[in-house]
Amino acid sequence: MPGNRLKNMRPRSRVLMVGFAGHQGKEYLPIVRESADVVGGVDPAPAASSLADEWGFPHYDHLGEALERVDFDAAVVTVPHSEHFPVCAKLLAHGRHIIKEKPFAVTEQEARQLIHLAQRADRSVFTLLQRNFNPVFRFAQDNLARIGEPYWFSYDYHLNLAHPTTGWRASRAQAMGGVLLDMGYHLIDVLGGMFPEPEPPRVSSAFVHHYQEMRDRRLEDLVSLMCSYPSTGLVGSLRISRHNYEKVEHLCVLGTEGALNVAPGIAVLHSIGGLPLERRTWAGPKTDTVRSMIAHYLGHLDDRDYRHDHLQRQLAVVRTIDGIYRDRLRARSELADRCA
Ligand SMILES: NC(=O)c1ccc[n+]([C@@H]2O[C@H](COP(=O)([O-])OP(=O)(O)OC[C@H]3O[C@@H](n4cnc5c(N)ncnc54)[C@H](O)[C@@H]3O)[C@@H](O)[C@H]2O)c1
């Protein structure tokens, strides 16, 4: 009955946009508006006030001000990495759901603390990862079993930025990591969805710098990883960079009975020997993926089972990345001790 259907539907959420005047905030604003009421925005940037006027919602310089003055159900958080934890902890302390940009957290300790705060508040913290809503990556996930036992993957993700990194991404204190954290988060999450493992993979890494200032700040411009998963014997390699000669994303998985080839616009299932068996193409636009991701998260804010699975997967991603950075740090300090 329509009456019953209406009764079970979540009312339109009231959303606060935190960091709305930045790149991702501006991209998400019109899309969030389609399925929620944007009741305010927080951003200290000089342009934020006129942007909020344009969009017709109240503007606040600080989150504390918004929490005092406006009622809302969920916040969409798109701020620099160093701001994620303090912003999210404050939102959860005030009982608000969160839909946030990656990374879920920077360290395993922060991730565990955030999960604890979310559980205590009985609220969701969802991380925006658009590949999980891209039909091509969905095809790869749905057809993974058809390649038998996966034994190797190779994943490349490169941008072709012709200039040095600027803004908060060039500040160690704000970025808290280089391309591994910024771009690699997406890839580690995709792999976590395809190959869920109880323990993080064993990883050996090479951190490479294009620009001297990034080397000085210990913010890698390129990272190459070799990963192995002891429980299944799966091995794979990833390469991620900002200053490649071309922009490219390509994942290849080899299995005992076939192979999967995935790029943002096309996924192909191959037999052993390379015969294409089935393909899925998708021409975008990217806003379609973002729209379904945001609508999906807004529709699952009160879904505790979904929330639990999402948090566990993000914890695994953060553990892997944090583990790689900690290994690097350990190696550096051992080297320094040896040289002293
Ligand atoms: N999913 C993707 O493909 C993708 C792409 C780009 C960025 N991101 C992520 O989005 C986040 C933001 O990146 P961006 O490129 O939009 O950065 P940005 O610098 O363009 O925007 C960040 C905004 O946050 C504001 N801000 C800073 N501190 C704040 C605070 N405490 N409260 C409220 N606002 C604050 C800044 O004034 C700025 O307007 C990062 O986590 C980044 O990793 C994701």
Side-chain angles (χ1 to χ4, degrees):
M1 276 184 35
N4 279 342
R5 231 180 25 242
L6 284 177
K7 235 191 275 169
N8 294 333
M9 270 171 64
R10 196 178 201 285
R12 233 172 119 81
S13 297
R14 296 160 302 171
V15 168
L16 181 76
M17 301 290 296
V18 184
F20 70 95
H23 178 270
Q24 286 306 108
K26 280 193 281 204
E27 180 182 327
Y28 293 148
L29 241 175
I31 301 170
V32 171
R33 272 212 151 161
E34 292 173 16
S35 34
D37 296 328
V38 175
V39 293
V42 182
D43 199 310
S49 174
S50 58
L51 196 62
D53 283 351
E54 221 174 276
W55 282 94
F57 56 72
H59 165 247
Y60 307 97
D61 278 329
H62 305 289
L63 178 58
E65 225 181 313
L67 283 163
E68 269 172 26
R69 299 205 188 153
V70 64
D71 204 8
F72 60 96
D73 307 297
V76 171
V77 177
T78 55
V79 294
H81 295 167
S82 55
E83 296 298 307
H84 281 231
F85 185 78
V87 163
C88 292
K90 202 165 202 170
L91 285 163
L92 288 171
H94 285 79
R96 303 311 206 274
H97 294 289
I98 298 168
I99 298 175
K100 71 188 290 294
E101 258 305 339
K102 52 80 189 168
F104 172 69
V106 176
T107 63
E108 180 178 347
Q109 194 195 1
E110 264 186 6
R112 290 192 185 280
Q113 212 173 331
L114 208 52
I115 291 173
H116 169 73
L117 295 175
Q119 282 166 345
R120 203 174 61 184
D122 189 19
R123 289 295 176 267
S124 289
V125 182
F126 293 141
T127 305
L128 291 153
L129 294 155
Q130 59 267 32
R131 283 160 189 75
N132 297 324
F133 297 85
N134 178 319
V136 154
F137 282 89
R138 278 266 165 94
F139 172 91
Q141 180 76 54
D142 294 346
N143 287 279
L144 188 61
R146 292 171 71 185
I147 67 167
E149 274 309 311
Y151 62 87
W152 167 256
F153 64 80
S154 163
Y155 203 164
D156 275 277
Y157 181 30
H158 304 283
L159 301 180
N160 57 349
L161 302 176
H163 49 78
T165 302
T166 56
W168 62 264
R169 283 183 178 81
S171 148
R172 168 128 203 110
Q174 288 182 289
M176 307 177 94
V179 287
L180 172 60
L181 183 63
D182 195 29
M183 297 165 64
Y185 197 96
H186 291 289
L187 276 56
I188 307 275
D189 176 69
V190 167
L191 294 170
M194 292 181 106
F195 313 116
E197 297 274 341
E199 289 300 316
R202 291 194 191 123
V203 182
S204 66
S205 63
F207 280 34
V208 184
H209 302 88
H210 182 116
Y211 293 103
Q212 184 60 41
E213 63 267 32
M214 294 298 271
R215 182 191 302 278
D216 296 342
R217 294 169 200 162
R218 288 190 294 109
L219 294 169
E220 69 284 359
D221 293 311
L222 184 155
V223 66
S224 175
L225 306 175
M226 181 63 81
C227 309
S228 61
Y229 298 81
S231 57
T232 56
L234 175 69
V235 176
S237 81
L238 294 96
R239 288 156 299 276
I240 303 153
S241 75
R242 284 205 179 107
H243 307 290
N244 195 32
Y245 68 96
E246 64 174 353
K247 189 176 171 187
V248 65
E249 180 169 355
H250 179 213
L251 167 66
C252 168
V253 187
L254 301 183
T256 49
E257 291 165 32
L260 269 167
N261 235 324
V262 190
I266 182 166
V268 185
L269 174 72
H270 295 271
S271 69
I272 291 180
L275 195 71
L277 300 176
E278 198 174 330
R279 71 181 62 221
R280 176 74 162 91
T281 56
W282 184 68
K286 185 186 161 201
T287 41
D288 285 354
T289 314
V290 173
R291 182 175 293 112
S292 60
M293 171 172 66
I294 286 174
H296 182 85
Y297 285 160
L298 284 169
H300 285 80
L301 290 175
D302 298 318
D303 183 337
R304 293 193 180 105
D305 292 337
Y306 182 81
R307 179 190 297 172
H308 174 266
D309 293 351
H310 183 91
L311 290 176
Q312 289 312 306
R313 175 153 157 193
Q314 294 317 301
L315 174 61
V317 176
V318 175
R319 265 181 97 182
T320 300
I321 293 176
D322 187 27
I324 298 168
Y325 280 127
R326 276 191 288 118
D327 284 349
R328 301 284 313 174
L329 213 58
R330 207 173 300 126
R332 272 175 68 91
S333 77
E334 280 170 10
L335 187 68
D337 285 350
R338 275 206 301 276
C339 295

